[in-house]
Amino acid sequence: MFEGIVVGLGQMGSLTNLLFMNVGVLIGIIFGAIPGLTVLLAIVLFLPLTFGLSDTTGILMLIGIYCGGSYGGSISAILINTPGTPNAAATVIDGYALAKKGRAKSALMVALYASVFGGVVSAIVLLFAAPPIAKVTRFFGPAEYFTLAVFGISIIAGVSGKNMLKGIMAGCLGILISMVGQDATTGVFRFSFDIIDLAAGVEFVPVLIGLFAISELLAKTSDYKKLHTMSSAVRMDHNDHLHIKEFLSAWKAIVRSTFIGIVIGAIPGTGGGIASFLSYNEAKRKSKHPEEFGNGSIEGIAAAEAANNAVTGGALIPTMTLGVPGEAVTAVMLGALMMNGLIPGSRIFIEHRDVMYTILIGTVFINLFMLVQGKALIRVFSLITKIPDSLLMPILFALCVAGAYAVSNSVFNVFIMFIFGGLAFAMHYFGYPVVPLLLGIILGPMAESNLKRALVISDGSPLIFVTRPISVVFILLTVLSVYASIRSSMVKKQED
């Protein structure tokens, strides 16, 4: 590990890596700060642009977007009472209240410092936790990988919203889509309809762009009257300064919220929104001044932002080591890793040691770069909320088409993008979640191929899945995951 860290530090410090890490952070903050645009949309749009970069540089840029977007959501939450991302929903409670008191700059600085602390600590935990966890997977065989994939697919229930049946149906459709093309085992062509372009299956990037970018643009432009200019409800006072004592008064809440965020992030199917509200409530419960919460509490802003940024490092742990993404963003990150030949598992830190340690160390520095950019460009970022959607939409649409075409210089991929964009738009309209579809597409091949291998090893006996200890553990985790999701769904229905 020490040798890997030394090599990673050397490679991370190259001019190209430093440049694209900062570009990623900037893009993430911009997309996070504009309500309606998401971190997921940013990653999907700029994923094709990483193809011309090295494996390390491309992944670092995407992680920069991920981390920058987690902080960027707090900007609009504080200035216009609208969270730029769902993760910043808890920040609105005290952020906007403090901004209305003429302390918008202080609120933004608290959010920045807490975000950086949470992000750096979670990145350090990722650096030291990921390699040992990845080593555990050397004990995995086909049976273990199949049950692991089933556990990952069971997360579908947790991200299905209020209607679990629709989520499961969407997940099954994703698995079906993953089977398009030539069967790797038998060589038989499936669901290709004699279309040569489908012989190798559907390209991942056009599918991604269609599911998340095109569908989002269609939803926004379906009512042109809603395309308007965002206006800031509060302005920053030049004389407003955050006192060091104010920030230090919230240090306990920041530390506590950071570790809550890491743990929540590492649990598939959760996310920054849950972490930020849990941390906010815990901070209020243990605060010496709970009456300030909801009225512009520095402690409340710090707790929410430390937690939702700590989720980034925590969420990448199962993604990079086990190949189990907990949400849509990490699912796309997993796809990006696989496209670059970085297959999660026991060999990833052996065969790709230099690349992986460069990425892990780079994640730490990405959060530090976010601090530099946040302090230097805080007034510029506050103007982002005023960009009109009518200007953004055509630009984003052009990026979508260019990105889908650039994957393999194929017009067919552009058609695939529009097909999946229309599919996702229809799914949203009829209340079907899209994330389960994505998880099915990603985890379907892993489940199918390892199921076949396991049954070949056992001469067709399914007992192989219940006679191997690790496989049994994943089966139990799958049952617990489904049970927790069913219980959560029932609670939501009762609340409604």
Side-chain angles (χ1 to χ4, degrees):
M1 180 181 287
F2 178 75
E3 291 179 358
I5 291 174
V6 172
V7 173
L9 277 170
Q11 293 189 2
M12 189 278 301
S14 73
L15 182 60
T16 303
N17 284 338
L18 292 175
L19 173 62
F20 281 95
M21 286 159 67
N22 278 281
V23 169
V25 170
L26 180 62
I27 292 171
I29 293 175
I30 292 172
F31 273 73
I34 300 175
L37 301 187
T38 63
V39 180
L40 176 60
L41 176 61
I43 291 177
V44 169
L45 282 176
F46 289 93
L47 177 59
L49 298 183
T50 65
F51 295 160
L53 306 174
S54 67
D55 299 346
T56 308
T57 306
I59 298 298
L60 283 174
M61 178 180 172
L62 296 179
I63 293 177
I65 294 174
Y66 184 26
C67 295
S70 295
Y71 158 66
S74 66
I75 295 173
S76 55
I78 291 168
L79 294 179
I80 62 173
N81 199 29
T82 303
T85 63
N87 294 356
T91 308
V92 171
I93 302 172
D94 284 293
Y96 186 65
L98 187 61
K100 286 197 298 183
K101 295 179 180 179
R103 303 204 62 195
K105 184 179 178 181
S106 292
L108 289 170
M109 295 309 296
V110 169
L112 175 62
Y113 293 148
S115 296
V116 170
F117 182 88
V120 168
V121 173
S122 71
I124 293 173
V125 171
L126 171 67
L127 172 62
F128 288 99
I133 294 175
K135 285 183 180 179
V136 174
T137 61
R138 71 179 183 271
F139 301 107
F140 286 20
E144 286 77 13
Y145 275 113
F146 170 71
T147 50
L148 173 61
V150 171
F151 169 59
I153 293 172
S154 73
I155 297 168
I156 287 172
V159 294
S160 296
K162 298 176 183 178
N163 196 320
M164 190 181 302
L165 178 60
K166 288 184 176 181
I168 293 173
M169 291 173 66
C172 290
L173 177 60
I175 295 173
L176 184 64
I177 292 170
S178 73
M179 295 181 180
V180 173
Q182 189 175 22
D183 187 336
T185 305
T186 64
V188 175
F189 287 93
R190 307 174 300 183
F191 312 118
S192 59
F193 306 102
D194 294 327
I195 300 174
I196 299 298
D197 293 290
L198 290 177
V202 292
E203 290 272 10
F204 182 67
V205 173
V207 170
L208 268 181
I209 296 175
L211 288 178
F212 296 101
I214 293 296
S215 63
E216 184 70 23
L217 295 179
L218 287 174
K220 278 184 166 293
T221 55
S222 59
D223 187 354
Y224 187 79
K225 294 179 180 179
K226 292 183 179 180
L227 299 182
H228 57 85
T229 302
M230 302 297 296
S231 58
S232 180
V234 292
R235 295 182 178 180
M236 287 193 290
D237 186 351
H238 293 280
N239 298 320
D240 175 29
H241 297 287
L242 176 68
H243 300 290
I244 188 66
K245 289 184 179 180
E246 288 182 302
F247 181 73
L248 291 178
S249 66
W251 74 270
K252 289 184 179 179
I254 293 174
V255 173
R256 188 189 310 114
S257 300
T258 295
F259 287 98
I260 290 175
I262 293 171
V263 173
I264 294 296
I267 300 173
T270 54
I274 295 174
S276 60
F277 276 107
L278 281 176
S279 299
Y280 181 85
N281 290 333
E282 187 67 13
K284 183 178 180 180
R285 189 175 69 85
K286 295 197 173 183
S287 175
K288 295 180 180 179
H289 304 284
E291 71 282 355
E292 294 181 1
F293 282 68
N295 297 307
S297 170
I298 294 286
E299 202 173 351
I301 300 171
E305 284 301 303
N308 65 38
N309 282 267
V311 164
T312 56
L316 289 173
I317 294 174
T319 303
M320 288 185 167
T321 57
L322 301 176
V324 178
E327 56 176 349
V329 175
T330 48
V332 176
M333 296 296 295
L334 174 61
L337 287 170
M338 291 181 169
M339 288 170 63
N340 286 284
L342 304 173
I343 310 300
S346 59
R347 306 292 299 175
I348 192 169
F349 282 94
I350 298 174
E351 298 174 353
H352 306 282
R353 185 192 68 168
D354 296 353
V355 173
M356 289 306 299
Y357 275 105
T358 303
I359 291 171
L360 296 181
I361 293 170
T363 305
V364 178
F365 280 88
I366 279 170
N367 285 278
L368 296 175
F369 295 149
M370 187 168 70
L371 173 63
V372 176
Q373 288 194 28
K375 290 196 70 172
L377 302 174
I378 191 167
R379 293 193 179 278
V380 176
F381 291 148
S382 67
L383 299 175
I384 292 172
T385 56
K386 297 182 179 181
I387 299 176
D389 288 347
S390 55
L391 176 63
L392 281 174
M393 295 305 107
I395 296 173
L396 296 177
F397 181 80
L399 286 174
C400 288
V401 174
Y405 179 81
V407 174
S408 55
N409 295 329
S410 170
V411 177
F412 183 78
N413 283 336
V414 178
F415 288 122
I416 291 291
M417 176 192 73
F418 282 120
I419 290 170
F420 278 89
L423 173 63
F425 182 77
M427 289 175 68
H428 283 304
Y429 183 81
F430 290 105
Y432 286 84
V434 175
V435 175
L437 177 68
L438 177 64
L439 288 176
I441 292 173
I442 291 175
L443 296 175
M446 177 181 173
E448 181 192 7
S449 60
N450 285 290
L451 172 63
K452 290 179 179 178
R453 293 191 187 108
L455 292 176
V456 168
I457 292 172
S458 65
D459 292 326
S461 173
L463 293 177
I464 188 174
F465 302 112
V466 294
T467 55
R468 299 174 68 94
I470 297 177
S471 181
V472 172
V473 169
F474 283 123
I475 291 173
L476 292 175
L477 287 173
T478 301
V479 173
L480 289 174
S481 174
V482 174
Y483 170 75
S485 300
I486 292 174
R487 187 172 181 179
S488 175
S489 179
M490 292 175 65
V491 170
K492 288 178 180 178
K493 287 183 178 179
Q494 289 176 355
E495 290 177 351
D496 292 340

